[in-house]
Amino acid sequence: MSTLSSLNDVVTISHSNVPPPNIANALKSLVKREVGDPLLASLGPENSDPLAHLHQTAHTLAVLYILSARLNTQGAAPVPFEYIDSFCANFDPDQARLAPERVTWLAKGIEDLADRNQNPRLAIGPIRNLMSRYAPSKGFFTSLHVILLRICVKSECWNHALPILDVPLSDVDKVISDVNYLDNLTYYYLGGVIYAVLKRWKQAEEFFEMCVAAPGNIASAVQLEAFKKLTLVQLISYGKTRPLPKYVTFTTSRVLKQQPYQTFAKNYPNSSVALGQILEKDLAHFTADGNVGLMKQAIRHAPRWIVRRLTDTYVTLSVAEISKAIASDVAAASTPEAIQEATLLILSMIEQNEIYATLTPTPDNPAAAIVTFRDPPPPKYFDPAVLEKIVRDAQGNNTQLGLLDRDVGKSRAYLNKVNLASKARMVLLGQWAVKDKEGGAMAFDDMAELEMERLRGDWD
């Protein structure tokens, strides 16, 4: 195949009978040269636009390369946003998957274009279409997921991210999507931020924990930020922090816990005033982290957790006693305003089923009103439709895990490790028998380590 050297060559090869993989290789060779992307970003003779001679679906590869070059080359001919939107809705996914790095570059170019127009949300529609068509399945993770979440956060279009976040990720393939370790961390971090803004605390905790617990030798900056937010989300959800998963390495766990947020967590739940003083003391630090909003949410939830803890000890309490428990100033707790605030808090918690209690008012003396706590009712049986959905989801997950297990079993990396372990085991058994017969005292673990090191060299 001849080398591409002009826009006319790109258009010609696109209209030829050359198979898409060969066209993809020719375009990759072109952009490896210094003149590649500047050439693709330029116009033809007499300022003719090569895109006018290409079909968005039939000639997806050529359009993809030209669009991504134009959007990321300074001074390139502008492309109407309507054309970009149309391409993202009509491109051929099979052709696009032959150039995953250009798909990512196109998405970043669309994001930059929207930013230059001071309207980040302009990029949401095209990139959402690009992602939904490009991914082989809904649960397939691509680099586009991270870009789209970043745009949703930037533009504060939180709900636009939910159709993506609410679908669990189940597959990834670096051959058709140039994702990396940082993309994985960023996806779960941004997902946690979006869920936290929407006050979906359970999902926020799950996403932050997925980020924090991602395997690695040291904790990354993204994981540190996720851990800070995870701490605050857990205080809101449980009134205390929860242990990190056991599979988090000791080094990572130690680094994560060396944070000023631990002081806040150790004093939680305390009176709102006391917690507010901790916030004010390190306000500059918490502001730099962008966590002041979450901390204020946690402070507002603190009185609710104080009341919930009282239910573990007492059967009945007066409103005045509850007011003293949640107030930082005992004298101020008996004021009419404080009594009214405590009463409203109790009624709100009863209404939202945060506590199970009955408030018996005393019209002449609101402070003497009695709150009687009771045990929560037994859980109700699931609706048959809900149970059926749970069973279907479990069956689907089981099928997906079976497919993943089969793919892992066929992978070259896995087979190499199996062969390595098998070969090492056979050698070790032979050496152990010889050493044992000769009365040698070499430890089995030492022999295993030495032999595995030698075999690793053989396989490498």
Side-chain angles (χ1 to χ4, degrees), residues 173-252:
D173 186 350
K174 295 192 69 174
V175 173
I176 65 173
S177 185
D178 54 339
V179 293
N180 53 44
Y181 178 69
L182 182 58
D183 287 332
N184 177 67
L185 297 182
T186 305
Y187 172 80
Y188 284 107
Y189 173 74
L190 293 176
V193 169
I194 292 168
Y195 277 131
V197 169
L198 297 174
K199 298 183 181 180
R200 292 176 57 171
W201 305 119
K202 182 178 180 181
Q203 291 93 335
E205 179 193 12
E206 178 184 345
F207 270 64
F208 285 137
E209 189 173 280
M210 289 287 285
C211 177
V212 169
N217 294 328
I218 58 173
S220 73
V222 178
Q223 288 176 301
L224 289 174
E225 294 305 311
F227 180 72
K228 296 171 185 177
K229 289 180 169 59
L230 174 64
T231 299
L232 298 174
V233 167
Q234 287 180 340
L235 293 178
I236 293 170
S237 299
Y238 309 108
K240 60 182 179 181
T241 57
R242 304 179 79 180
L244 289 171
K246 293 182 179 179
Y247 48 82
V248 175
T249 63
F250 173 75
T251 303
T252 301

Side-chain angles (χ1 to χ4, degrees), residues 51 56-57 63 67 71 79-92 106-107 109-111 113 121-133:
L51 293 176
Q56 292 181 344
T57 305
V63 177
L67 266 185
L71 291 175
V79 182
F81 206 86
E82 294 76 14
Y83 184 92
I84 298 171
D85 197 20
S86 176
F87 175 74
C88 291
N90 296 291
F91 72 94
D92 178 8
L106 171 63
I110 296 172
E111 180 185 8
L113 177 61
R121 67 180 61 191
L122 196 65
I124 292 178
I127 295 180
R128 183 172 53 202
N129 288 335
L130 184 66
M131 187 191 75
S132 63
R133 287 180 64 80

Side-chain angles (χ1 to χ4, degrees), residues 3 50 71 94 117 122 151 156 161 189 196 223 234 254 299 321 335 343 368 381 408 428 432 448 456:
T3 303
L71 291 175
D94 291 330
N117 282 276
L122 196 65
I151 295 170
E156 298 185 359
Y189 173 74
Q223 288 176 301
Q234 287 180 340
R254 184 178 59 185
I299 291 172
E321 290 171 320
T335 63
T343 302
Y381 290 106
V408 170
L428 289 170
W432 180 260
R456 286 192 192 99

Side-chain angles (χ1 to χ4, degrees), residues 15-83:
H15 284 273
S16 69
N17 294 323
V18 176
N22 292 357
I23 297 177
N25 289 333
L27 289 167
K28 287 178 183 177
S29 298
L30 173 61
V31 296
K32 285 180 180 178
R33 290 151 43 198
E34 189 174 347
V35 298
D37 278 310
L39 174 65
L40 291 170
S42 64
L43 297 175
E46 299 181 358
N47 289 329
S48 62
D49 193 338
L51 293 176
H53 305 285
L54 296 169
H55 190 275
Q56 292 181 344
T57 305
H59 310 134
T60 287
L61 275 167
V63 177
L64 174 61
Y65 270 82
I66 292 173
L67 266 185
S68 56
R70 280 206 201 173
L71 291 175
N72 291 283
T73 301
Q74 189 174 4
V79 182
F81 206 86
E82 294 76 14
Y83 184 92

